[in-house]
Amino acid sequence: MPLLQPNQVGIREELADYIAIVDQKSTPFVSMAPKGKDLGNMTFSWQVDNYAAPLPGGVVDGTDVTYTTGSPGSPVNPVPNRTRLSNNAQVFRNDLRIGFVANTQNVAGVGTGGEIANGVSKRLIELKRKMEATFLATNQTIQDDNGTVPDLTSSLGKWLLTTNSAGIGAPTSSFAPNAAAIDATASASFVEATAQNVLTGIYNSTGTFRDYDVFLGSTLKRAFTNLTAGSTTTIVNTSTIAATAVRTFNQDLSDDTFKSSIDIFEGDFGRLILHPDVWISSTDGSNFTSLAYKGYVIPMDMVEIRYTKLPEVTTLPNNGGGEGRLIQAIAGLCVKNPMGMGMFNGGS
């Protein structure tokens, strides 16, 4: 009987010398947000203020200045609206341990003794993603460490969607975003006016035409691009005539690349620079749930990530079982003045 492959002894395993990972999700918010002043306390604060509205009226010749509050020309407190806002930093932590035997093995794509370095590289990326998802969550509420529960930083969604009379973890009502700057239109119903309305709402608070960075989920990004798609117009008539979709292309006929994407939306009161981000989410305290139909409209000079400790790797004690590493950062989100921000807050 001939030797057949099913009965053959000693066949070497054909294992490629690489590990393929297609998950390359980026963290644009953490990468782009300015790094603020180092923290010396887990709770940190900053101040916000605004200008008083102009009042009509004049002053009669010869009128002396009086100290009656509210009287035109009288000395009054120039900073009646100055307010203190506060947030907490929180600890972001990952760890790993490789068994003393496992770390001696020659692993394809890793090499001999390479599991520690490979593990640290992965866990650093995972830590950065955890920070991104936390800062961009719609509903993580500030929390103080009481020995049982940890400090938590209030997420961007809490700063834009809620208020707190003490300015702790959310703005006071005086510094909340303009209601018109928070748009609840569903992605399927998104139209040009939706983006224009958010920009208009922000402008009515700030009076500034500027660029805004928009961190948005994939569904909302598609809604922006669909603004260039064909549309139908129905004309009332006595005949049953099907509407025709008309799409206009504004590109060189010699170009062999079909472009269907909007990366920058310029409206009457500013430009929206779109940054797709898969980490916009809600949290139940245990997991993050992606919200691909939401987006934050942020002037990047109005946010900071403030660190007590930048991400660092610490060697853990090896009591014989194998080497371990701790990857840890301590950071909090500073939203300097939410009044100048907006949000696409559709429910789908």
Side-chain angles (χ1 to χ4, degrees):
M1 181 177 178
L3 174 64
L4 301 177
Q5 188 272 334
N7 301 318
Q8 194 172 13
V9 177
I11 298 177
R12 290 183 181 276
E13 181 180 14
E14 178 59 34
L15 180 60
D17 194 24
Y18 57 79
I19 300 173
I21 299 179
V22 299
D23 181 358
Q24 300 295 323
K25 302 182 183 74
S26 61
T27 53
F29 181 79
V30 170
S31 298
M32 293 173 61
K35 175 181 173 291
K37 182 181 177 181
D38 292 349
L39 295 175
N41 196 309
M42 290 297 283
T43 298
F44 58 97
S45 303
W46 61 98
Q47 296 181 88
V48 290
D49 202 353
N50 56 23
Y51 293 103
L55 297 175
V59 179
V60 175
D61 183 20
T63 301
D64 288 330
V65 173
T66 63
Y67 289 87
T68 304
T69 301
S71 177
S74 298
V76 296
N77 176 9
V79 290
N81 299 320
R82 184 187 294 170
T83 301
R84 179 172 172 168
L85 303 179
S86 302
N87 202 358
N88 282 354
Q90 89 175 54
V91 178
F92 297 90
R93 172 185 288 183
N94 283 335
D95 54 50
L96 65 103
R97 186 176 293 279
I98 306 298
F100 65 91
V101 174
N103 203 39
T104 66
Q105 304 304 291
N106 188 352
V107 180
V110 175
T112 303
E115 290 287 14
I116 287 288
N118 179 69
V120 168
S121 177
K122 285 193 65 179
R123 296 298 267 167
L124 277 168
I125 292 173
E126 291 165 358
L127 186 81
K128 191 174 182 182
R129 291 178 172 188
K130 184 185 296 186
M131 295 173 70
E132 182 92 357
T134 298
F135 295 145
L136 295 184
T138 59
N139 65 333
Q140 176 161 297
T141 303
I142 189 172
Q143 179 175 280
D144 293 328
D145 188 332
N146 63 4
T148 302
V149 299
D151 283 308
L152 294 179
T153 193
S154 186
S155 64
L156 190 53
K158 296 299 289 187
W159 285 101
L160 299 189
L161 298 175
T162 65
T163 59
N164 181 293
S165 60
I168 300 173
T172 62
S173 57
S174 298
F175 294 96
N178 188 326
I182 307 295
D183 193 285
T185 302
S187 294
S189 302
F190 190 95
V191 294
E192 179 184 341
T194 309
Q196 291 277 25
N197 290 343
V198 170
L199 283 169
T200 304
I202 298 174
Y203 178 82
N204 287 337
S205 293
T206 66
T208 303
F209 182 103
R210 61 167 299 166
D211 289 351
Y212 298 91
D213 289 286
V214 182
F215 301 91
L216 72 173
S218 56
T219 302
L220 183 56
K221 178 62 169 65
R222 285 294 306 275
F224 269 95
T225 296
N226 287 342
L227 294 177
T228 64
S231 60
T232 60
T233 302
T234 302
I235 301 175
V236 179
N237 55 76
T238 56
S239 304
T240 304
I241 302 175
T244 301
V246 178
R247 188 169 189 177
T248 301
F249 294 91
N250 186 23
Q251 63 186 71
D252 193 333
L253 291 176
S254 65
D255 192 348
D256 60 1
T257 300
F258 175 78
K259 180 173 174 58
S260 179
S261 175
I262 288 182
D263 298 314
I264 297 176
F265 177 95
E266 184 165 340
D268 290 330
F269 301 108
R271 294 199 313 163
L272 303 177
I273 303 171
L274 309 183
H275 306 282
D277 196 312
V278 300
W279 305 112
I280 298 173
S281 59
S282 63
T283 176
D284 60 5
S286 299
N287 298 287
F288 291 105
T289 301
S290 177
L291 301 175
Y293 42 83
K294 294 186 185 291
Y296 297 107
V297 182
I298 307 297
M300 291 306 290
D301 58 332
M302 284 288 108
V303 294
E304 288 180 342
I305 298 176
R306 299 189 62 184
Y307 290 90
T308 298
K309 179 185 291 186
L310 290 165
E312 67 176 14
V313 180
T314 303
T315 300
L316 295 175
N318 181 356
N319 295 322
E323 290 191 51
R325 298 290 186 272
L326 170 68
I327 299 95
Q328 185 167 274
I330 305 176
L333 179 64
C334 175
V335 182
K336 294 182 180 179
N337 196 327
M339 184 186 292
M341 303 179 185
M343 185 174 180
F344 296 104
N345 191 37
S348 62

